[in-house]
């Protein structure tokens, strides 16, 4: 008898649980959909009002276009073209144009994981401490562990057919410029990519980008060994 009562109680308890869960799953009264403005308001309310940060939560035109689609594949050709055009038009080059920089300097930025921090805002120990955190998403040097969200960049110079013999030809320098554009603003080649728009966001100077490109492409760089 005792056993039966217990079982009955357990059943009651369980059915009560099921009921309360059911209740929770039922939709409450209908609420108006959250607007873009409301989202931005919540986002910005928790952040600094320092103008150096405020722009980070304001969408630019390219981001507005990307946000309308679930993927690049879902974008109409016109939208893709618009993002590419907006991204290309903002690219700035070093004042002396495309040149071979210093791959060792480029490597320092590529290896540094402290990406996206603004020097002199109190987050950074040193004003020269700027990082691409490239290994979070890429495999780069031989044997070095890295992410797989982006393509493997080991031997990237060979992919672009940069050799000791041709590296200063106008054709090779045009290919260097193409890679410069990818690092400065990845959306100029891969619209709405998850790769950060480093130059566009002011994280790297044109000279930084040139050094990174040199690290990726130069025949002497460990990337191409
Ligand atoms: C958050 C992830 C992420 C980070 C960080 C990142 N990338 Fe990428 N990268 C990608 C993705 C994803 C792609 C592929 C582009 C696409 O299809 O969207 C890519 C593409 C590239 C390409 C073009 C490869 C090709 O197919 O020719 C290069 C070069 C590159 N990244 C270099 C870098 C460098 C250098 C850094 C650091 C300064 C970096 N990436 C940081 C995600 C990232």
């Amino acid at each position: 008898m005792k056993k039966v009562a217990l079982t009955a109680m357990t059943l009651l308890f369980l059915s009560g649980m099921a009921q309360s869960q059911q209740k929770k799953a039922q939709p409450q009264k209908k609420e108006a959909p959250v607007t873009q403005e409301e989202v931005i308001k919540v986002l910005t309310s928790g952040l600094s009002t320092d103008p150096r940060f405020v722009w980070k939560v304001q969408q630019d035109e390219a981001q507005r276009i990307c946000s309308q689609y679930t993927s690049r594949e879902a974008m109409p050709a016109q939208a893709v073209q618009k993002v590419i055009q907006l991204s290309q038009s903002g690219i700035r080059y070093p004042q002396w144009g495309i040149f071979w920089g210093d791959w060792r300097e480029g490597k320092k930025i590529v290896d540094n994981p402290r990406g996206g921090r603004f020097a002199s805002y109190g987050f950074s120990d040193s004003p020269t401490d700027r990082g691409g955190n490239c290994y979070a998403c890429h495999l780069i040097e031989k044997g070095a562990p890295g992410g797989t969200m982006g393509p493997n960049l080991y031997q990237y110079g060979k992919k672009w057919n940069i050799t000791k013999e041709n590296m200063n030809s106008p054709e090779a320098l045009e290919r260097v410029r193409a890679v410069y554009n990818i690092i400065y603003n990845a959306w100029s080649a891969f619209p709405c990519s998850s790769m950060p728009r480093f130059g566009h966001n002011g994280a790297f100077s044109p000279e930084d980008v040139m050094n990174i490109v040199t690290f990726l492409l130069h025949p002497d760089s460990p990337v191409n060994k």
Side-chain angles (χ1 to χ4, degrees):
M1 192 61 211
K2 218 177 179 186
K3 200 171 170 196
V4 173
L6 248 178
T7 314
M9 263 175 65
T10 315
L11 270 174
L12 254 169
F13 176 68
L14 283 177
S15 77
M17 253 177 47
Q19 250 174 20
S20 73
Q21 260 167 14
Q22 232 172 26
K23 224 183 235 163
K24 248 183 235 155
Q26 262 163 20
Q28 305 290 315
K29 69 173 175 354
K30 270 216 164 119
E31 283 172 33
V34 179
T35 65
Q36 177 85 0
E37 286 71 34
E38 285 168 326
V39 171
I40 298 285
K41 211 169 148 193
V42 171
L43 278 175
T44 45
S45 67
L47 293 172
S48 162
T49 51
D50 187 317
R52 285 176 296 176
F53 285 85
V54 166
W55 64 268
K56 283 193 157 204
V57 287
Q58 288 165 349
Q59 282 191 324
D60 59 33
E61 198 183 340
Q63 286 172 321
R64 257 194 302 278
I65 297 171
C66 293
S67 296
Q68 289 170 30
Y69 306 97
T70 47
S71 70
R72 192 185 302 151
E73 290 66 37
M75 291 171 74
Q78 224 182 356
V80 170
Q81 277 315 312
K82 184 72 187 163
V83 173
I84 291 178
Q85 181 230 315
L86 282 167
S87 305
Q88 282 178 345
S89 68
I91 296 177
R92 301 282 167 269
Y93 296 95
Q95 65 182 123
W96 41 83
I98 293 292
F99 63 101
W100 286 103
D102 182 341
W103 67 258
R104 286 178 182 80
E105 289 302 314
K107 175 176 161 62
K108 278 187 208 161
I109 302 173
V110 166
D111 288 355
N112 190 332
R114 294 167 65 96
R117 295 177 195 214
F118 280 69
S120 79
Y121 196 73
F123 291 160
S124 187
D125 302 321
S126 145
T128 56
D129 181 13
R130 60 221 183 286
N133 201 15
C134 314
Y135 275 102
C137 301
H138 293 281
L139 290 160
I140 309 175
E141 281 185 59
K142 193 177 183 177
T148 51
M149 183 187 254
N152 188 343
L153 299 176
Y154 180 55
Q155 306 257 304
Y156 195 60
K158 290 186 184 142
K159 182 183 162 183
W160 286 87
N161 185 28
I162 303 284
T163 64
K164 265 206 159 28
E165 292 71 37
N166 73 17
M167 63 185 279
N168 287 311
S169 69
E171 295 77 24
L173 290 173
E174 269 319 298
R175 298 199 289 276
V176 174
R177 179 189 297 275
V179 175
Y180 180 100
N181 292 348
I182 295 174
I183 306 300
Y184 192 97
N185 187 341
W187 291 12
S188 68
F190 307 100
C192 316
S193 175
S194 48
M195 172 146 158
R197 300 177 294 167
F198 292 105
H200 172 83
N201 289 332
F204 302 158
S205 70
E207 289 70 30
D208 290 335
V209 176
M210 213 58 261
N211 289 334
I212 292 167
V213 172
T214 303
F215 173 65
L216 293 176
L217 298 180
H218 200 287
D220 289 343
S221 160
V223 173
N224 298 307
K225 293 291 173 194

